[in-house]
Amino acid sequence: MNIIMNTSFKEYDYLIVGSGLFGSTFAHQATLRGKKCLVIDKRPHLGGNVYCEKIEGINVHKYGAHIFHTSNQEVWDFVSSIVEFNRYTNSPIANYKGKLYNLPFNMNTFHQMWGVITPIEAEAKLEEQRAEARAMLNGRAPQNLEEQAQLLIGKDIYETLIRGYTEKQWGRKCVDLPAFIIRRLPVRMIYDNNYFNDKYQGIPIGGYNKLIEGLLQDVDIKLECDYFKHKNELDAICKRVVYSGPIDEFFDYCYGRLNYRTVSFETTVKNTSNYQGNAVVNYTERDIPYTRIIEHKHFEMFGDEIQKCSVSVISKEYSTEWKEGMEPYYPVNDNLNNSLADKYRELASNTKDVIFGGRLAEYKYYDMAPIVEKAIKAFVLDNTDSRKK
Ligand code: FAD
């Protein structure tokens, strides 16, 4: 990786705005095929939202816990060729008023909730609860998230594990949220706490920074560089731009600003080697203001390693309304924002020599694996598109 101090007289095939997983994967693919790339980022570090900050020797997921998971063989082989992944398996726990439940909803959860032992007993209990919800509706369609959730999974699980958590996430009561937010609530009739159904999951050994550093090994980089502050000089030295920043900002908010939900993190060092015994504990009661606590060491330390490190770093997560200046995390997919995003996408599709990609430039939530896949495809597409050549 080369840190650029003075970019004058340089010629680049691509200027890549944003060193997140999209920009870094694109830069890697392009460099591998002989293209010269300059990656810039307005932040003082690489990696976008997968960046990890070292605190007390522990990799802290600064922008929220990230677990890589995929069933896409090509993507898994690709990321594993850059960095080795560990065996971390996501199995979050829910804490409701001091009682613990396994997630996702599976036989362990049903046993903890009702004392049932067999799948037949659990299915009967679920059906009894769903029937109660159907009787309450008396033939009419569910009008809000509360009614929809009870219809899908019954009152007990809704009240204990869904209501408070969802209300904290959305900042609104479930009775005021639309029913369509929850279309399905998958249940697993086996004793299996693995959150993901994917074939592969894990955390890069040494943290996500290793993945990004591997991707950007032979790429020129400029940090603390806001594209819009240096647009003219940067455009002048690059043939094409790959833009992974917010799409509305690219067009100077000409149709107005897109909205987001955000998360704020309260990170503290705890004087204990093992604070909660698990990477992820959700707090599902409404009265506790945070949604979950992440204990970062459990992403990368297993067995005896946990005790050897005498401290631990935890982050409490608070779901918050987004305001200008805050990190934009989750797009708000309501009608207003969707139609605004469509108008910007239309402008983007008519913008010559700029490739828009990534979660902010597409105004769409993507997990990491689909982002890697999209970046690989974006480079291929750009180099097989004969119209611009
Ligand atoms: P980003 O990582 O946001 O990168 C964009 C970069 O562009 C940033 O570094 C930004 O500083 C830079 N930039 C923007 N504007 C400018 C500008 N004007 N000039 C210069 N630079 C600029 N996915 C999973 O698979 N598993 C998970 O467990 C998971 N957890 C998540 C938790 C949270 C809280 C969130 C929000 C997302 C999570 N994701 C997870 C999704 C994952 O974060 C994204 O898929 C991935 O980070 C998207 O990469 P990106 O490159 O598109 O965007």
Side-chain angles (χ1 to χ4, degrees):
M1 171 192 320
N2 313 311
I3 309 291
I4 290 296
M5 303 307 290
N6 179 358
T7 53
S8 54
F9 314 118
K10 296 249 180 195
E11 265 290 314
Y12 292 97
D13 293 298
Y14 290 106
L15 165 71
I16 297 169
V17 181
S19 65
L21 212 42
F22 186 89
S24 299
T25 305
F26 192 102
H28 176 270
Q29 295 293 291
T31 307
L32 209 62
R33 284 158 188 88
K35 306 285 183 190
K36 193 146 174 52
C37 299
L38 171 62
V39 171
I40 63 160
D41 205 296
K42 63 182 178 186
R43 289 176 177 168
H45 59 73
L46 295 170
N49 282 2
V50 305
Y51 168 73
C52 293
E53 185 176 25
K54 266 266 198 269
I55 302 179
E56 301 280 349
I58 296 165
N59 280 320
V60 172
H61 297 205
K62 188 177 165 74
Y63 301 96
H66 277 73
I67 300 130
F68 199 97
H69 59 100
T70 184
S71 292
N72 183 321
Q73 189 71 48
E74 215 178 308
V75 168
W76 182 251
D77 289 345
F78 172 70
V79 293
S80 303
S81 75
I82 307 289
V83 62
E84 197 183 338
F85 278 70
N86 70 20
R87 63 150 180 91
Y88 176 78
T89 303
N90 196 31
S91 33
I93 286 170
N95 181 324
Y96 180 75
K97 300 191 173 174
K99 199 165 173 230
L100 300 181
Y101 299 87
N102 288 111
L103 299 172
F105 308 139
N106 72 85
M107 282 304 297
N108 287 307
T109 330
F110 306 139
H111 176 69
Q112 290 145 351
M113 186 74 62
W114 300 308
V116 293
I117 305 277
T118 66
I120 291 171
E121 287 167 1
E123 195 51 73
K125 193 73 197 166
L126 278 168
E127 194 36 47
E128 176 193 308
Q129 296 244 319
R130 289 180 186 127
E132 266 177 40
R134 280 198 298 273
M136 296 274 283
L137 286 177
N138 200 15
R140 69 174 170 81
Q143 299 294 299
N144 54 51
L145 190 146
E146 174 165 300
E147 290 180 351
Q148 170 77 343
Q150 295 201 19
L151 198 61
L152 291 168
I153 204 141
K155 174 170 75 29
D156 290 351
I157 289 183
Y158 167 71
E159 299 268 349
T160 314
L161 301 175
I162 297 174
R163 181 164 63 183
Y165 194 84
T166 309
E167 291 188 347
K168 286 189 274 188
Q169 268 192 318
W170 289 89
R172 283 159 71 187
K173 287 195 171 308
C174 286
V175 287
D176 296 328
L177 287 167
F180 73 80
I181 291 179
I182 296 187
R183 287 182 210 278
R184 327 174 23 244
L185 281 172
V187 290
R188 235 182 237 166
M189 304 314 282
I190 51 173
Y191 290 92
D192 178 4
N193 299 327
N194 179 353
Y195 195 76
F196 298 116
N197 289 316
D198 284 308
K199 191 168 171 189
Y200 304 108
Q201 68 179 298
I203 307 286
I205 293 176
Y208 284 95
N209 298 359
K210 293 264 180 239
L211 172 62
I212 298 293
E213 284 160 15
L215 290 169
L216 295 180
Q217 215 170 28
D218 301 309
V219 177
D220 289 347
I221 288 163
K222 198 167 164 62
L223 293 173
E224 296 183 273
C225 175
D226 188 326
Y227 176 55
F228 298 106
K229 290 200 180 125
H230 307 278
K231 192 172 182 306
N232 290 341
E233 310 103 86
L234 289 165
D235 285 351
I237 57 167
C238 301
K239 291 180 191 153
R240 286 170 74 66
V241 176
V242 175
Y243 179 77
S244 70
I247 191 168
D248 54 354
E249 189 177 7
F250 189 93
F251 297 107
D252 206 15
Y253 310 105
C254 63
Y255 296 131
R257 281 177 194 265
L258 289 162
N259 207 346
Y260 297 87
R261 289 280 308 162
T262 193
V263 185
S264 62
F265 304 98
E266 189 183 290
T267 296
T268 43
V269 178
K270 294 286 174 188
N271 208 8
T272 171
S273 60
N274 193 359
Y275 179 78
Q276 62 182 13
N278 203 39
V280 184
V281 178
N282 291 3
Y283 284 80
T284 56
E285 63 189 278
R286 185 69 190 86
D287 290 345
I288 290 183
Y290 42 87
T291 48
R292 50 184 203 168
I293 298 183
I294 303 300
E295 188 172 10
H296 299 270
K297 70 180 345 183
H298 295 299
F299 289 125
E300 293 187 58
M301 292 182 194
F302 307 95
D304 293 345
E305 287 168 297
I306 296 166
Q307 304 301 328
K308 276 188 202 147
C309 168
S310 63
V311 293
S312 199
V313 183
I314 63 155
S315 298
K316 289 182 177 165
E317 294 189 355
Y318 300 82
S319 186
T320 338
E321 202 77 44
W322 178 80
K323 293 191 185 68
E324 251 184 88
M326 289 173 143
E327 287 297 339
Y329 280 135
Y330 300 106
V332 178
N333 294 117
D334 59 12
N335 290 341
L336 192 73
N337 284 284
N338 284 341
S339 63
L340 197 56
D342 280 344
K343 285 163 88 177
Y344 283 120
R345 287 185 197 115
E346 178 68 25
L347 285 183
S349 68
N350 293 319
T351 305
K352 209 171 157 278
D353 289 335
V354 182
I355 298 160
F356 292 80
R359 64 180 195 100
L360 295 167
E362 295 183 47
Y363 191 68
K364 192 160 180 223
Y365 178 85
Y366 288 108
D367 275 333
M368 290 179 279
I371 280 286
V372 169
E373 187 185 354
K374 282 185 87 74
I376 293 172
K377 283 193 175 145
F379 175 75
V380 173
L381 186 71
D382 194 50
N383 284 272
T384 48
D385 183 355
S386 53
R387 281 169 303 173
K388 63 174 197 302
K389 303 240 158 66

